[in-house]
């Protein structure tokens, strides 16, 4: 199966404008000001503590460094034990660094800091209890807008324009019910309102895509982000979710290695053995997700299927995922899963010649080819939520319509009349 992004890449974006933006758009805990530099670092006031950075080298023992810095061996062992369930010191990576914090230059360190990712840090206190604590950093958000026109340039052009692949993914997801991204055309235009996430003043990722519109020969198509206590996601102007009720595949970036075929001729057994599923080949360990919301019916193993998960989505549809290497945490009988939630990982347990997932789809108890099925649309928002939705929708639509045209051509339009 082709990755949509690759195809899109052949047809996307040269003209692009990105700008900071301050629309009055309802959104949870959003800031529209640039994040301020804080006076504390890793939870310590920088005026009262000395914070030194230590690069981590290949084949270096943490205990050696800490002993040299005056920490007793028993304390190091105690800390290692206490870190097991939070972030084990064994998982410190060469090439990164940790920090030691002291009250003054001559004192022994009071705390060690390690940052596993951009969103958190871990404090290892050299106190009596050897406390270990993981702290989530504050994520600031800035709302931005972007617009672009498809001119036939390449995926690289888009990357060089500073539009992240994650944002393109989100645009495709949000508009997939009204725009066919396999057939984008030169001259198509798009408009986006989105959040950028910052930690300590550094850009770390894209947040929610608050609104998107796409203009092609069929007119202008909109998707808006709406969230309340019960619902969350992208909706069209009528309040219908823009996501499909079922995803086309249970994993990303895979290829179909064997299609659904009732008359498959088996090359070795020399007879017709139907293949009532679709095989997706992917590297060992690739996350497999549920193609729709549902309830787990079974997490089991058979000699043929290997490790598999069975999910019931509604009274009509059920899915199964075979040959997993393992199940995702918390996946067991009776558990509710969301569309896109990881339920297990690609493997080759059972009868499988290579790592893949054999994906099986049932409709009213019969196995079907899900790639040929016209699924019913996802349910729209209930009447009781519509007033709230319309308010959000109108504000976002107005803001989308205010984003400047990436390539205004009034003259051309006049001539065409
Ligand atoms: Zn199969």
């Amino acid at each position: 199966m082709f990755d949509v992004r690759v195809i899109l890449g052949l047809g996307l974006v040269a003209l692009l404008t990105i700008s900071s933006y301050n629309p009055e758009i309802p959104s949870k805990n959003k800031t529209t000001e640039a994040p301020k530099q804080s006076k504390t670092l890793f939870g310590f006031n920088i005026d009262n503590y000395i914070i030194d950075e230590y690069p981590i080298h290949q084949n270096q023992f943490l205990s050696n460094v800490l002993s040299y810095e005056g920490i007793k061996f028993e304390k190091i062992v105690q800390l290692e034990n206490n870190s097991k369930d939070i972030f084990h010191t064994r998982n410190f990576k060469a090439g990164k660094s940790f920090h030691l914090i002291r009250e003054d230059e001559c004192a022994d360190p009071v705390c060690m800091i390690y940052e596993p990712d951009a969103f958190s840090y871990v404090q290892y206190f050299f106190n009596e209890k050897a406390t270990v604590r993981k702290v989530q950093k504050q994520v600031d958000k800035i709302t931005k807008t972007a617009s672009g026109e498809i001119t036939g340039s390449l995926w690289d052009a888009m990357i060089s324009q500073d539009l992240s692949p994650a944002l393109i993914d989100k645009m495709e997801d949000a508009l997939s019910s009204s725009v066919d991204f396999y057939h984008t055309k030169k001259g198509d235009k798009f408009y986006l309102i989105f959040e950028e996430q910052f930690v300590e003043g550094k850009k770390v990722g894209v947040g929610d895509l608050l609104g998107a519109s796409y203009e092609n020969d069929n007119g202008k198509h909109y998707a808006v982000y709406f969230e309340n206590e019960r619902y969350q996601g992208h909706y069209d102007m009528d309040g219908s979710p823009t996501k499909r009720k079922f995803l086309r595949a249970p994993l990303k970036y895979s290829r179909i290695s064997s299609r659904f075929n009732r008359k498959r001729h088996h090359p070795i057994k020399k007879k017709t053995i139907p293949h009532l599923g679709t095989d997706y080949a992917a590297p060992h360990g690739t996350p497999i997700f549920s193609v729709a919301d549902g309830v787990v019916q079974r997490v089991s193993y058979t000699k043929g299927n290997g490790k598999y998960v069975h999910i019931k989505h509604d009274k009509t549809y059920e899915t199964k995922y075979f040959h997993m290497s393992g199940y995702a945490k918390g996946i067991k009988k009776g558990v509710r899963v969301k569309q896109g939630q990881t339920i297990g990982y690609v493997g080759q347990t059972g009868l499988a010649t290579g790592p893949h997932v054999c994906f099986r789809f049932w409709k009213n108890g019969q196995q079907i080819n899900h790639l040929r099925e016209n699924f019913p649309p996802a349910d729209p928002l209930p009447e009781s939520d519509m007033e709230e939705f319309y308010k959000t929708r109108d504000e976002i639509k107005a803001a989308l319509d205010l984003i400047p045209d990436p390539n205004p051509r009034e003259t051309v339009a006049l001539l065409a009349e």
Side-chain angles (χ1 to χ4, degrees):
M1 194 179 72
F2 274 100
D3 176 5
V4 177
R5 288 202 335 211
V6 175
I7 293 171
L8 232 191
L10 301 175
L12 229 103
V13 198
L15 284 160
L16 188 83
T17 52
I18 301 187
S19 52
S20 277
Y21 185 66
N22 287 306
E24 287 307 309
I25 288 177
S27 162
K28 63 269 122 76
N29 56 43
K30 176 196 77 192
T31 60
T32 47
E33 282 164 34
K36 291 189 190 81
Q37 202 66 41
S38 74
K39 284 198 78 178
T40 61
L41 185 58
F42 307 127
F44 291 86
N45 188 322
I46 54 171
D47 294 333
N48 302 338
Y49 290 91
I50 291 163
I51 303 176
D52 292 313
E53 187 172 357
Y54 292 74
I56 302 168
H57 303 291
Q58 205 70 251
N59 304 322
Q60 179 189 47
F61 289 101
L62 180 66
S63 54
N64 290 352
V65 182
L66 292 180
S67 316
Y68 184 80
E69 296 297 334
I71 307 297
K72 291 207 173 69
F73 187 69
E74 300 78 58
K75 189 55 65 187
I76 297 169
V77 173
Q78 198 187 354
L79 261 185
E80 281 180 352
N81 283 329
N82 290 357
S83 73
K84 270 180 195 147
D85 295 330
I86 299 166
F87 190 88
H88 202 298
T89 50
R90 196 187 296 141
N91 297 326
F92 284 20
K93 280 210 171 69
K96 294 186 73 157
S97 57
F98 63 87
H99 289 80
L100 289 179
I101 295 169
R102 293 178 174 82
E103 281 170 332
D104 66 69
E105 269 164 68
C106 309
D108 292 339
V110 291
C111 187
M112 172 173 68
I113 304 288
Y114 184 77
E115 297 170 275
D117 53 58
F119 296 95
S120 65
Y121 60 86
V122 184
Q123 299 170 320
Y124 304 85
F125 285 97
F126 304 115
N127 56 12
E128 203 188 325
K129 283 187 175 163
T131 316
V132 178
R133 199 158 55 193
K134 188 168 180 180
V135 183
Q136 294 300 325
K137 295 182 189 175
Q138 189 190 321
V139 179
D140 296 301
K141 292 173 185 174
I142 291 181
T143 306
K144 289 199 161 184
T145 65
S147 62
E149 179 176 352
I150 287 165
T151 59
S153 71
L154 295 168
W155 172 247
D156 306 66
M158 198 167 58
I159 300 296
S160 69
Q161 295 279 7
D162 203 27
L163 252 194
S164 81
L167 185 61
I168 297 301
D169 269 355
K170 283 175 194 230
M171 176 177 83
E172 287 175 21
D173 285 348
L175 289 162
S176 66
S177 62
S178 53
V179 177
D180 175 6
F181 282 102
Y182 282 93
H183 298 101
T184 55
K185 263 174 66 183
K186 198 173 166 180
D188 289 359
K189 291 171 184 174
F190 65 86
Y191 303 85
L192 306 171
I193 302 173
F194 60 100
E195 292 173 338
E196 271 184 350
Q197 298 172 321
F198 289 81
V199 170
E200 292 156 354
K202 259 195 280 181
K203 191 162 108 181
V204 291
V206 214
D208 289 322
L209 175 63
L210 302 176
S213 65
Y214 194 92
E215 202 178 339
N216 59 16
D217 293 347
N218 304 322
K220 206 165 179 180
H221 313 273
Y222 293 88
V224 300
Y225 184 82
F226 174 71
E227 181 182 274
N228 64 14
E229 312 81 61
R230 291 174 297 282
Y231 299 94
Q232 179 214 335
H234 291 101
Y235 293 84
D236 68 12
M237 296 287 98
D238 303 322
S240 288
T242 58
K243 71 174 183 189
R244 296 165 201 274
K245 189 169 170 133
F246 293 96
L247 300 171
R248 277 175 70 81
L251 64 183
K252 263 193 170 179
Y253 315 124
S254 58
R255 72 185 166 81
I256 293 178
S257 50
S258 175
R259 290 183 179 274
F260 186 98
N261 184 354
R262 290 191 196 282
K263 294 184 193 134
R264 179 166 69 169
H265 183 75
H266 201 286
I268 296 159
K269 294 181 178 163
K270 302 231 185 286
K271 59 176 181 173
T272 301
I273 299 175
H275 183 230
L276 300 178
T278 306
D279 290 348
Y280 294 90
H284 198 273
T286 304
I288 298 168
F289 33 75
S290 176
V291 292
D293 295 357
V295 178
V296 176
Q297 304 296 300
R298 203 159 198 175
V299 176
S300 189
Y301 176 90
T302 68
K303 236 170 129 186
N305 303 345
K307 290 183 179 171
Y308 74 95
V309 174
H310 172 190
I311 297 172
K312 190 176 170 81
H313 301 290
D314 53 26
K315 53 187 193 309
T316 311
Y317 296 106
E318 292 167 63
T319 54
K320 290 184 188 177
Y321 312 75
F322 293 167
H323 311 308
M324 289 176 166
S325 59
Y327 313 113
K329 216 174 164 185
I331 296 301
K332 52 175 193 266
K333 190 180 170 176
V335 163
R336 223 160 235 298
V337 290
K338 294 295 247 179
Q339 184 181 65
Q341 183 180 333
T342 300
I343 53 171
Y345 303 92
V346 171
Q348 57 180 98
T349 55
L351 289 177
T353 50
H356 77 284
V357 53
C358 182
F359 178 52
R360 307 264 173 146
F361 218 112
W362 269 262
K363 181 184 186 182
N364 296 320
Q366 299 287 318
Q367 296 205 60
I368 58 153
N369 181 356
H370 73 288
L371 294 172
R372 292 271 172 82
E373 180 75 3
N374 276 320
F375 291 111
D379 298 330
L381 288 167
E383 204 51 52
S384 53
D385 290 279
M386 287 309 278
E387 196 184 321
E388 197 186 348
F389 168 74
Y390 285 140
K391 196 169 168 285
T392 304
R393 175 199 74 176
D394 293 346
E395 281 166 344
I396 293 176
K397 183 178 180 296
L400 280 168
D401 289 339
L402 278 177
I403 301 173
D405 189 321
N407 185 18
R409 276 175 302 187
E410 286 90 336
T411 349
V412 178
L414 278 174
L415 286 172
E417 277 292 304

